[in-house]
């Protein structure tokens, strides 16, 4: 507590401020009494650590108090009403915003996690301090992650890298971002992390001496022209080095800018003066100069960046900024929150959070929390491009955006009526990929309207939401019909009874799960793409089981017949009699696949799937290719290999094989391997009667937690 008190005295001198913090600490300590962390420490060390991080960011007393109390509602008997009575509405709202939804009933842990994140983003769109507390909470948890088992370490590290580190970047809090990335990297890929640490340690003394020489050179030149500055050498954090090595496919010895030099001065004028001096000393690299002072990043970051060829022909990045820019670079939105009360124009502060406010609008169109989070990752946390309107306004978009994304970013009506675009004065197609610096002009017509194809073309979640919204409003009847057809078709494909699964009361029940008022609303949502068919089928099945008890017809158990090696019963090959016919092992065709025969040398006719790459090699050799078809036959098992890609975890293989067993399919062979990035690849050889049964079992495996993809495996022969 003494350390916390010293931190607070920097910004809030006086005992009256400390009294409120002490009161919050006492409430938290009593509430968490008897609770222990995995490390064995008293639980109060965690909220105290969170409050320390918030104090280091220079946040207000209300936020620090909420940080001390952030876990009491979730983990103790203390209620939100008690917090409100003791500390006021503002503190209670912050605590509620960071409280997980662990006390509600969810179908899966994944759904609970996604719904928790959605609640947090909605709350932070109302008050940014919610996410600052959550970032501090995650930062402290990662500092003590070593006490958890490896599965939990991997889960928390992955979520940190996918959600919290990019969010800290978007808010400009680089001090937090770097720590989150490095700690998450350590637990996600420990081998790569410690190899990099070891390599950097061997070069550290050499690098430090090199940077010290460069700093001395800059310092003397600046003193000679009468300029004062603080010059620092900043080693790049581990994950950024690793990411650069991976992206550019380089070894550490090929990465030269391992350390950046930072020059901090008193005024913007001095920033450009230092830039001129540095370029007079060393030759700058063309295309590596960035002026974030004249054109700040959306997260308010400002600085001059230049890369020069320094002594010993090494590349060195030099960053030049004022002290105020430096505070913003380290603490981002947190630095500006401290001065919010001093801002005379409230619109100035709100504009800095405009991207965040849009979340409230977007989330209403994502009925499923998992879809909301996935689209959030794609949009807010993607790499960015910065383009210009014809009037010179800067528009930031996710990397890979096209003119349609730009049009919807400007205004919904402009997007809806967009028919063409000009980039840098010339006409370009609507799927043109925008690049930083492009000047974009949108061509509209009075009677223009979106195309469904746009949903597969646009990059930003904002554009997708607005396109879906247009179809939702304008073509409701068409969407209802289309959605009903899509659901019926999928039910038939997975062999469910339409009359049972699409009972009106059952569909109404599922519609309510997605906050929809009627079955027609559900069909319309599927029709315009707001909800996927897969989500509906899964919920229908769950509700049917819960309400009526699911009585699916058991699939017939098929035992692989012991056949003569090389025999391929059930296949007719045109113009072939009394010759050995066998199934190709490279593609393992099964009934309902399109097939063809290939005349081999000395081994008869080999039956391949028509899409087999090994067959395509012989397309030009018409004499060796024969037409083939499946004949009517009794049910039997055909061998086929599927490839499963997944996040490697405990019991993964057991869960996959259990899912296959539910379909009453026999597994005849299993091979698996794991990669350094915690990805697992499993090859399973199955006995199935036809392609429909194969697709059914593949769809069942896809529903297993942590599965990335399931596909038929092809063995390519060069």
């Amino acid at each position: 507590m003494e350390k916390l008190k010293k931190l607070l005295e920097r910004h809030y001198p006086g005992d009256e401020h400390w009294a409120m913090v002490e009161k919050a600490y006492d409430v938290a300590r009593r509430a968490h009494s008897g609770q222990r962390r995995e490390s064995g420490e008293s639980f109060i060390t965690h909220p105290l650590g969170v409050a320390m991080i918030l104090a280091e960011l220079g946040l207000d007393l209300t936020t620090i108090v909420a940080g001390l109390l952030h876990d009491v509602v979730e983990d103790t008997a203390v209620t939100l009403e008690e917090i409100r009575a003791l500390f006021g509405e503002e503190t209670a709202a912050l605590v509620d915003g960071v409280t997980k939804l662990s006390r509600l009933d969810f179908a899966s842990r994944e759904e609970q996690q996604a719904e928790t994140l959605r609640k947090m983003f909605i709350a932070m769109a109302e008050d940014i301090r919610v996410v600052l507390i959550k970032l501090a909470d995650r930062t402290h948890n990662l500092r003590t992650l070593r006490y958890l088992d490896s599965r939990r370490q991997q889960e928390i590290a992955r979520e940190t890298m996918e959600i919290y580190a990019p969010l800290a970047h978007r808010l400009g809090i680089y001090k937090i971002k770097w720590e989150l990335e490095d700690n998450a990297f350590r637990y996600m890929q420990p081998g790569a992390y410690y190899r990099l640490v070891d390599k950097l340690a061997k070069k550290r003394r050499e690098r430090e001496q090199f940077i010290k020489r460069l700093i001395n050179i800059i310092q003397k030149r600046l003193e000679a022209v009468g300029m004062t500055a603080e010059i620092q050498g900043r080693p790049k954090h581990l994950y950024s080095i690793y990411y650069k090595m991976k992206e550019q496919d380089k070894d550490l010895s090929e990465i030269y800018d391992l350390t950046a030099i930072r020059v901090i001065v008193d005024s913007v004028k001095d920033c450009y003066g230092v830039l001129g001096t540095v370029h007079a000393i060393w030759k700058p690299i063309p295309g590596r100069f960035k002026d974030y002072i004249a054109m700040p990043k959306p997260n308010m970051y400002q600085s001059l960046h230049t890369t020069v060829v320094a002594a010993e022909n090494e590349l060195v990045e030099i960053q030049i900024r004022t002290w105020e820019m430096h505070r913003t670079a380290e603490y981002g939105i947190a630095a500006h929150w401290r001065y919010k009360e001093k801002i005379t124009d409230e619109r100035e502060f709100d504009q800095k959070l405009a991207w965040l406010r849009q979340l409230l609008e977007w989330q209403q169109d994502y009925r499923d929390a998992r879809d909301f989070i996935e689209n959030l990752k794609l949009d807010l946390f993607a790499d960015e491009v910065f383009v210009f309107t014809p009037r010179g306004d800067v528009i930031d978009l996710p990397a890979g955006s096209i003119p349609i994304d730009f049009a919807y970013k400007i205004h919904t009506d402009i997007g809806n009526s967009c028919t063409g675009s000009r980039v840098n004065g010339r006409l370009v197609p609507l799927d043109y990929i925008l690049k930083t610096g492009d000047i974009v002009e949108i061509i509209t017509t009075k009677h223009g309207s979106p195309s469904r194809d746009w949903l597969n073309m646009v990059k930003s979640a904002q554009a997708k939401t607005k396109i879906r919204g247009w179809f939702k409003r304008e073509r409701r009847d068409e969407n209802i019909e289309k959605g009903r057809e899509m659901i019926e078709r999928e039910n038939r494909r997975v062999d469910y009874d339409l009359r049972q699964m699409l009972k009106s009361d059952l569909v109404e029940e599922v519609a309510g799960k997605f906050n929809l008022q009627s079955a027609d609303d559900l069909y319309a949502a599927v029709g315009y793409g707001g909800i996927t068919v897969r989500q509906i089928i899964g919920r229908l099945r769950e509700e049917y089981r819960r309400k009526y008890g699911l009585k699916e017809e058991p699939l017939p158990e098929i035992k692989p017949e012991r056949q003569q090696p090389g025999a391929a019963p059930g296949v007719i090959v045109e113009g072939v009699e009394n010759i050995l016919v066998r199934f190709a092992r490279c593609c393992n065709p099964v009934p309902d696949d399109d097939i063809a025969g290939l005349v081999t040398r000395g081994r008869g006719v080999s039956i391949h799937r028509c899409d087999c790459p090994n067959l395509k090699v012989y397309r030009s050799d018409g004499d060796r290719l024969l037409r083939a078809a499946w004949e009517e036959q009794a049910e039997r098992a055909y061998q086929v290999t599927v490839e499963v890609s997944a996040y490697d975890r405990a019991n993964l293989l057991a869960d996959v094989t259990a899912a296959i067993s539910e379909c009453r399919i026999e597994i005849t062979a299993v091979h698996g391997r794991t990669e350094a990035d915690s990805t697992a690849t499993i090859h399973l050889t199955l006995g199935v009667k036809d392609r429909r049964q194969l697709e059914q079992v593949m769809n069942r495996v896809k529903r297993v937690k942590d599965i990335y993809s399931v596909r038929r495996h092809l063995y390519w022969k060069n």
Side-chain angles (χ1 to χ4, degrees):
M1 282 292 283
E2 285 303 315
K3 289 182 180 179
L4 179 58
K5 188 173 184 179
K6 287 179 181 178
L7 282 170
L8 285 176
E9 285 174 349
R10 295 180 189 174
H11 308 296
Y12 301 101
D15 291 339
E16 70 277 8
H17 299 303
W18 179 244
M20 181 62 73
V21 176
E22 269 195 317
K23 180 181 175 182
Y25 175 77
D26 288 338
V27 169
R29 182 174 52 80
R30 287 197 301 272
H32 293 296
S33 177
Q35 294 180 353
R36 295 279 171 183
R37 306 197 79 210
E38 292 291 335
S39 63
E41 295 178 302
S42 174
F43 191 88
I44 192 61
T45 59
H46 172 60
L48 185 58
V50 171
M52 291 276 290
I53 293 169
L54 294 170
E56 288 169 359
L57 292 174
L59 288 162
D60 60 295
L61 284 168
T62 302
T63 310
I64 293 167
V65 167
L68 284 166
L69 300 168
H70 78 277
D71 273 331
V72 295
V73 174
E74 180 187 343
D75 294 333
T76 76
V78 176
T79 66
L80 204 60
E81 288 70 28
E82 290 175 281
I83 298 294
R84 189 176 289 110
L86 288 169
F87 300 99
E89 180 61 46
E90 195 177 2
T91 301
L94 292 176
V95 172
D96 186 41
V98 293
T99 299
K100 296 186 180 74
L101 305 183
S102 55
R103 297 181 180 178
L104 301 181
D105 184 29
F106 292 99
S108 66
R109 186 178 180 278
E110 179 189 13
E111 183 181 350
Q112 175 186 331
Q113 183 184 44
E115 196 63 60
T116 299
L117 286 169
R118 170 150 73 171
K119 181 188 178 189
M120 183 189 74
F121 279 108
I122 294 168
M124 81 186 225
E126 294 288 345
D127 191 331
I128 189 64
R129 292 174 295 177
V130 168
V131 80
L132 298 180
I133 297 169
K134 190 63 183 176
L135 286 173
D137 174 46
R138 181 52 58 105
T139 301
H140 188 263
N141 278 330
L142 258 72
R143 290 176 182 176
T144 56
L145 201 59
R146 63 185 178 277
Y147 297 107
L148 300 184
D149 61 75
S150 59
R151 182 184 65 81
R152 288 288 291 137
Q153 286 176 349
Q154 287 278 337
E155 285 180 358
I156 293 170
R158 186 175 297 275
E159 184 185 59
T160 299
M161 200 67 88
E162 290 180 352
I163 298 289
Y164 293 101
L167 183 58
H169 169 77
R170 189 69 191 233
L171 294 170
I173 313 173
Y174 289 100
K175 186 178 179 68
I176 294 291
K177 178 205 173 189
W178 294 330
E179 182 175 349
L180 289 176
E181 284 184 339
D182 280 356
N183 279 329
F185 173 38
R186 175 183 174 185
Y187 291 101
M188 282 180 70
Q189 300 180 62
Y193 175 87
Y194 286 109
R195 282 194 298 273
L196 185 57
V197 168
D198 185 55
K199 289 180 180 179
L200 286 171
K202 293 175 182 177
K203 299 183 68 174
R204 181 177 298 164
R205 180 172 295 181
E206 176 188 338
R207 295 295 307 171
E208 287 176 350
Q209 291 174 350
F210 173 67
I211 292 298
K212 189 175 181 180
R213 287 199 303 272
L214 299 187
I215 289 174
N216 287 335
I217 293 171
I218 298 172
Q219 193 77 60
K220 288 178 181 178
R221 285 293 189 98
L222 293 180
E223 288 173 359
V225 295
M227 294 179 66
T228 58
E230 180 170 318
I231 308 176
Q232 308 166 349
R234 182 186 65 81
K236 290 199 171 182
H237 68 295
L238 291 168
Y239 182 71
S240 69
I241 296 171
Y242 171 77
Y243 183 80
K244 191 169 186 178
M245 290 167 58
K246 189 175 178 182
E247 283 296 297
Q248 300 180 8
D249 194 23
K250 290 182 178 180
D251 188 70
L252 182 64
S253 60
E254 300 175 272
I255 305 294
Y256 296 106
D257 51 344
L258 295 175
T259 308
I261 293 176
R262 183 178 294 147
V263 183
I264 307 173
V265 293
D266 295 325
S267 68
V268 173
K269 178 184 175 182
D270 287 347
C271 289
Y272 291 98
V274 171
L275 179 70
T277 301
V278 167
H279 284 179
I281 303 172
W282 298 296
K283 184 178 180 180
I285 301 295
R288 295 288 293 271
F289 169 68
K290 297 182 178 68
D291 189 344
Y292 293 120
I293 294 179
M295 195 170 72
K297 291 185 178 182
N299 62 16
M300 302 170 295
Y301 178 87
Q302 287 184 289
S303 190
L304 298 176
H305 288 197
T306 185
T307 302
V308 298
V309 182
E312 302 172 24
N313 290 324
E314 287 205 32
L315 303 184
V316 176
E317 183 183 69
I318 298 176
Q319 302 169 357
I320 308 163
R321 61 180 67 147
T322 66
W323 284 103
E324 184 179 353
M325 293 173 190
H326 180 59
R327 281 192 295 271
T328 300
E330 292 287 300
Y331 301 113
I333 195 69
H336 283 259
W337 183 267
R338 198 186 311 163
Y339 305 114
K340 184 182 177 185
E341 293 79 7
K342 301 177 185 178
I343 296 175
T344 54
D345 187 355
E346 279 291 323
R347 288 175 300 178
E348 179 187 344
F349 191 81
D350 287 339
Q351 284 170 1
K352 298 180 187 301
L353 297 175
W355 63 273
L356 191 54
R357 308 289 183 203
Q358 291 171 337
L359 286 172
L360 284 176
E361 174 190 342
W362 299 343
Q363 67 89 21
Q364 294 171 2
D365 289 290
Y366 290 106
R367 302 295 179 182
D368 185 81
R370 286 168 289 193
D371 280 353
F372 171 76
I373 296 303
E374 286 307 311
N375 280 279
L376 192 72
K377 291 177 190 176
L378 287 174
D379 199 357
L380 294 181
F381 307 145
D383 291 335
E384 296 170 302
V385 293
F386 301 94
V387 296
F388 296 90
T389 67
R391 293 191 304 178
D393 296 326
V394 180
I395 303 295
D396 64 296
L397 295 165
S401 290
I402 61 177
I404 301 171
D405 291 287
F406 176 88
Y408 279 107
K409 183 83 173 190
I410 299 299
H411 196 278
T412 303
D413 290 341
I414 293 176
N416 287 340
S417 58
C418 171
T419 56
S421 66
R422 291 188 183 90
V423 175
N424 303 324
R426 62 184 182 86
L427 286 169
V428 297
L430 286 177
D431 61 355
Y432 170 85
I433 304 297
L434 298 174
K435 299 184 289 295
T436 293
D438 282 343
I439 301 172
V440 187
E441 181 183 355
I442 299 299
I443 302 168
T444 61
T445 59
K446 191 173 182 180
H447 302 292
S449 62
S451 163
R452 286 192 184 276
D453 293 338
W454 290 6
L455 286 169
N456 298 321
M457 295 164 57
V458 296
K459 186 71 174 178
S460 64
Q462 182 182 16
K464 288 181 181 179
T465 300
K466 291 181 176 180
I467 294 166
R468 289 186 183 123
W470 187 89
F471 284 105
K472 178 181 178 181
R473 291 188 303 273
E474 302 294 328
R475 299 186 179 177
R476 179 172 169 80
D477 291 343
E478 178 186 327
N479 289 329
I480 291 172
E481 188 61 32
K482 181 180 179 184
R484 183 184 285 107
E485 288 177 4
M486 291 168 68
I487 291 173
E488 289 178 353
R489 184 166 59 247
E490 181 66 11
N491 264 307
R492 283 193 292 267
R493 194 181 68 78
V494 296
D495 212 18
Y496 290 161
D497 187 332
L498 284 178
R499 289 174 301 173
Q500 295 294 322
M501 282 296 177
L502 297 184
K503 287 182 176 181
S504 59
D505 61 333
L506 199 65
V507 177
E508 296 276 354
E509 199 73 40
V510 171
K513 296 286 184 181
F514 289 93
N515 299 320
L516 298 167
Q517 301 301 314
S518 67
D520 280 353
D521 288 344
L522 183 143
Y523 291 134
V526 173
Y528 70 74
I531 306 174
T532 65
V533 176
R534 178 180 59 82
Q535 292 171 280
I536 298 300
I537 296 298
R539 285 295 180 91
L540 280 171
R541 189 172 184 274
E542 289 172 12
E543 283 301 308
Y544 190 89
R545 182 194 290 117
R546 185 184 66 79
K547 203 163 186 177
Y548 303 107
L550 184 63
K551 295 180 180 178
E552 296 177 280
E553 288 297 319
L555 294 171
E557 186 170 2
I558 303 171
K559 294 288 184 181
E561 295 185 12
R562 302 303 174 192
Q563 49 188 284
Q564 291 296 322
V571 174
I572 302 171
V573 181
E574 186 177 65
V576 170
E577 293 182 7
N578 299 322
I579 190 170
L580 181 65
V581 177
R582 63 186 182 85
F583 290 125
R585 293 184 179 180
C586 55
C587 58
N588 289 319
V590 297
D592 294 334
D593 283 335
D594 293 329
I595 55 175
L598 174 67
V599 178
T600 64
R601 292 180 175 85
R603 291 184 297 164
V605 175
S606 175
I607 303 299
H608 293 256
R609 281 163 43 195
C610 287
D611 61 353
C612 177
N614 294 316
L615 187 66
K616 291 177 182 178
V617 173
Y618 300 97
R619 288 290 187 205
S620 59
D621 191 351
D623 293 338
R624 294 185 62 184
L625 292 180
L626 303 174
R627 291 182 180 177
W630 300 97
E631 64 180 353
E632 293 295 328
Q633 57 190 306
E635 289 185 346
R636 59 178 302 111
Y638 293 83
Q639 301 295 297
V640 63
T641 301
V642 298
E643 180 179 283
V644 179
S645 295
Y647 164 60
D648 188 26
R649 60 170 173 82
N651 299 320
L652 173 65
L653 183 59
D655 290 347
V656 170
T657 54
I660 296 172
S661 297
E662 287 179 16
C663 299
R664 301 181 68 82
I665 299 293
E666 183 170 4
I667 304 171
T668 59
V670 178
H671 299 281
R673 67 177 187 275
T674 59
E675 307 294 346
D677 62 354
S678 299
T679 299
T681 302
I682 305 171
H683 290 138
L684 302 118
T685 303
L686 312 175
V688 298
K689 66 178 183 180
D690 54 29
R691 190 171 65 184
R692 190 176 74 164
Q693 190 180 47
L694 174 62
E695 289 174 350
Q696 189 172 351
V697 71
M698 288 170 67
N699 287 329
R700 177 64 188 87
V701 174
K702 285 177 185 176
R703 296 201 294 269
V704 174
K705 182 187 174 190
D706 295 324
I707 298 296
Y708 300 148
S709 67
V710 182
R711 63 188 181 90
R712 292 179 71 169
H713 186 61
L714 290 171
Y715 293 95
W716 171 246
K717 299 176 183 177
N718 291 318

